[in-house]
Amino acid sequence: MSEFLDRAMMTHSAVKNRLIRAIKGEEMIDYNTIKRDDVCEVGKWIYGEGGRKHATSRIFQEFKTTHAEFHMCASHVLLLHRSGKVAEANAELQRGAFEQKSMDIGSCIVRMKKDPAFS
């Protein structure tokens, strides 16, 4: 489980880099995919095995909510960029809701790694 949580941390950190590349025109990101919280590996775990095992856990519920909000924030950054609001998109990545949700995901993962229920 610890290995999965480490991967979850890395893959969600990588989303920021992908969004930066998208803003620079170096990568195409599908809006309909990035806004969904059930498509990435973590989302599949949340709505699959993780949900079955940890549905009543408070930290799991917080993680599930935060993860969904993270994906909505990521899609918002993409919309800002596509609307020509590049400065606003960059601001969201650096100090806006996206950045906050990224930190919240990291915090949830750290707490899950310390919780014996997630061993």
Side-chain angles (χ1 to χ4, degrees), residues 19-62:
L19 287 167
I20 290 169
R21 287 192 306 273
I23 289 169
K24 291 179 178 179
E26 298 170 356
E27 182 172 348
M28 289 295 299
I29 298 176
D30 181 61
Y31 171 80
N32 291 317
T33 301
I34 202 163
K35 76 176 183 179
R36 292 185 55 188
D37 70 325
D38 62 340
V39 176
C40 67
E41 180 183 10
V42 174
K44 290 176 183 176
W45 177 79
I46 287 170
Y47 290 100
E49 178 186 351
R52 286 189 299 276
K53 288 184 178 178
H54 306 289
T56 60
S57 164
R58 190 174 59 107
I59 183 64
F60 176 81
Q61 288 302 320
E62 180 182 342

Side-chain angles (χ1 to χ4, degrees), residues 63-74:
F63 182 62
K64 181 179 179 182
T65 299
T66 301
H67 181 258
E69 291 168 347
F70 171 86
H71 278 272
M72 292 308 296
C73 289

Side-chain angles (χ1 to χ4, degrees), residues 78-118:
L78 203 55
L79 280 179
L80 288 171
H81 166 256
R82 290 183 179 170
S83 300
K85 299 176 181 177
V86 176
E88 288 179 47
N90 280 316
E92 276 295 308
L93 284 174
Q94 301 307 321
R95 59 189 173 279
F98 176 86
E99 180 63 16
Q100 183 59 56
K101 290 303 163 189
S102 294
M103 291 188 302
D104 293 347
I105 280 187
S107 174
C108 285
I109 290 172
V110 167
R111 289 183 303 168
M112 284 191 292
K113 287 178 75 167
K114 292 179 181 178
D115 187 328
F118 290 92

Side-chain angles (χ1 to χ4, degrees), residues 12-23:
H12 281 79
S13 295
V15 170
K16 182 175 185 175
N17 292 327
R18 291 189 64 214
L19 287 167
I20 290 169
R21 287 192 306 273
I23 289 169

